[in-house]
Amino acid sequence: MYTLIAMIACPYDGASAQEAAVCTQYQAATSGIPSKGVPIVPDALLQDIKTAVPCLVTLISGLEPSITSPKMPSDAGSKLLSATAALRAIMARQSALDAASGTPNDTTKLNEFISLFRDKDNVAVVSVLTYAARSDIYDARLNSVLILGNIIDNTTVCVPIVHLNDPELDSTDYGKNGRANLLGIISVVAPWAYFENYDAIEQTRAVLSAKVGENPDYKTTRTILDNIDKRLRSQTNQTNRSVPLPGEFKTACKNYIDAYRAKHTITGTFKY
């Protein structure tokens, strides 16, 4: 979906330039000196979510070359914390509007946020958020997990799947916490995962289940893995697990896996 939008926007240089000019204020609002604290995006910039969400997602995408490990550079980490806090604030406001609508289980406003986010997201955006979800910074983990849990889908779930197959997660306590975070995120997609994603989730679940075993230190992780198993089993041969991932998304996942493997160790073989 985001690829199509990019293709449509290209011929209209004036419109693209105008969008870039509008987004400049979000770049400025999230910039600062890390040692002086994380910049807070002014509330006035968050009122129009049709502007704020695309600009903040584009900003996060631009951090992808700098954030290539859970140990984020201080300047990029500060900007990411600022942007994700702003997105989290928008999500909270949208959810509050749903709660005040008077309609039980209303998610109309939150779904508006999700749609705006997905229109601009891609594997680069989810890569940045995935590194943050397994980082040593608590607020980065919290913000990113809350966002990913709402926006993750079949087009981008391959990213946290790849990270879950990185043995480095076992080397630190925050990495182990990050693993539980990422398992919770991929569980969202499990009941409607396409063929390649379904296979990768099941393979990852089986490997990690064998690794954690009955170790009491991994009680939470084991619970999440059991939940993933149940959610995968809710699918049948007539559901998405038999449907191939569309070509452009399959290619994006394969390219991401190849690039990740070039820098990190990952286990498992995937069908992307």
Side-chain angles (χ1 to χ4, degrees):
M1 185 179 296
Y2 50 81
T3 304
L4 179 59
I5 290 173
M7 290 171 63
I8 292 173
C10 285
Y12 301 96
D13 293 338
S16 298
Q18 184 178 18
E19 180 181 352
V22 170
C23 288
T24 298
Q25 58 191 328
Y26 294 89
Q27 291 282 353
T30 56
S31 298
I33 301 173
S35 62
K36 293 187 176 182
V38 175
I40 299 174
V41 178
D43 191 61
L45 290 180
L46 306 182
Q47 296 300 314
D48 177 10
I49 70 168
K50 292 182 179 179
T51 299
V53 174
C55 284
L56 289 167
V57 175
T58 299
L59 185 156
I60 291 172
S61 179
L63 296 174
E64 193 265 344
S66 300
I67 298 180
T68 58
S69 88
K71 290 284 190 179
M72 299 179 287
S74 59
D75 53 346
S78 176
K79 185 174 281 288
L80 177 63
L81 277 167
S82 180
T84 54
L87 288 167
R88 185 179 168 191
I90 293 171
M91 289 173 60
R93 182 175 296 160
Q94 295 296 100
S95 293
L97 290 171
D98 285 332
S101 71
T103 302
N105 303 315
D106 187 9
T107 58
T108 303
K109 293 298 184 179
L110 181 59
N111 288 342
E112 182 183 8
F113 167 87
I114 293 170
S115 179
L116 289 167
F117 194 106
R118 286 177 174 168
D119 279 348
K120 281 291 185 181
D121 84 345
N122 50 36
V123 295
V125 172
V126 174
S127 178
V128 172
L129 293 175
T130 299
Y131 276 119
R134 51 177 285 207
S135 76
D136 59 341
I137 303 172
Y138 175 79
D139 285 341
R141 294 201 304 269
L142 179 60
N143 292 349
S144 297
V145 169
L146 288 171
I147 294 168
L148 286 170
N150 281 278
I151 63 87
I152 200 73
D153 62 13
N154 268 298
T155 69
T156 53
V157 72
C158 60
V159 175
I161 290 172
V162 171
H163 285 245
L164 281 164
N165 285 273
D166 186 341
E168 184 183 345
L169 287 172
D170 275 324
S171 64
T172 61
D173 286 339
Y174 65 80
K176 294 171 185 175
N177 289 332
R179 177 167 59 200
N181 290 339
L182 299 182
L183 284 170
I185 289 161
I186 70 169
S187 73
V188 174
V189 182
W192 36 280
Y194 286 169
F195 170 75
E196 294 84 357
N197 290 332
Y198 184 97
D199 178 80
I201 293 172
E202 169 54 23
Q203 178 186 150
T204 301
R205 182 208 63 78
V207 169
L208 291 179
S209 292
K211 177 179 290 187
V212 304
E214 298 299 321
N215 188 327
D217 293 338
Y218 295 114
K219 182 178 179 181
T220 299
T221 299
R222 190 165 61 250
T223 299
I224 301 171
L225 287 165
D226 289 344
N227 183 53
I228 291 173
D229 185 44
K230 292 175 183 177
R231 291 171 72 84
L232 286 172
R233 290 177 184 275
S234 71
Q235 289 216 43
T236 69
N237 289 335
Q238 282 70 51
T239 60
N240 281 3
R241 76 179 190 185
S242 299
V243 180
L245 192 64
E248 63 182 299
F249 303 121
K250 183 175 179 178
T251 298
C253 284
K254 183 181 184 305
N255 290 342
Y256 184 81
I257 292 167
D258 290 345
Y260 192 95
R261 199 187 298 273
K263 297 178 181 178
H264 308 275
T265 299
I266 60 172
T267 58
T269 56
F270 307 102
K271 295 182 178 179
Y272 296 104

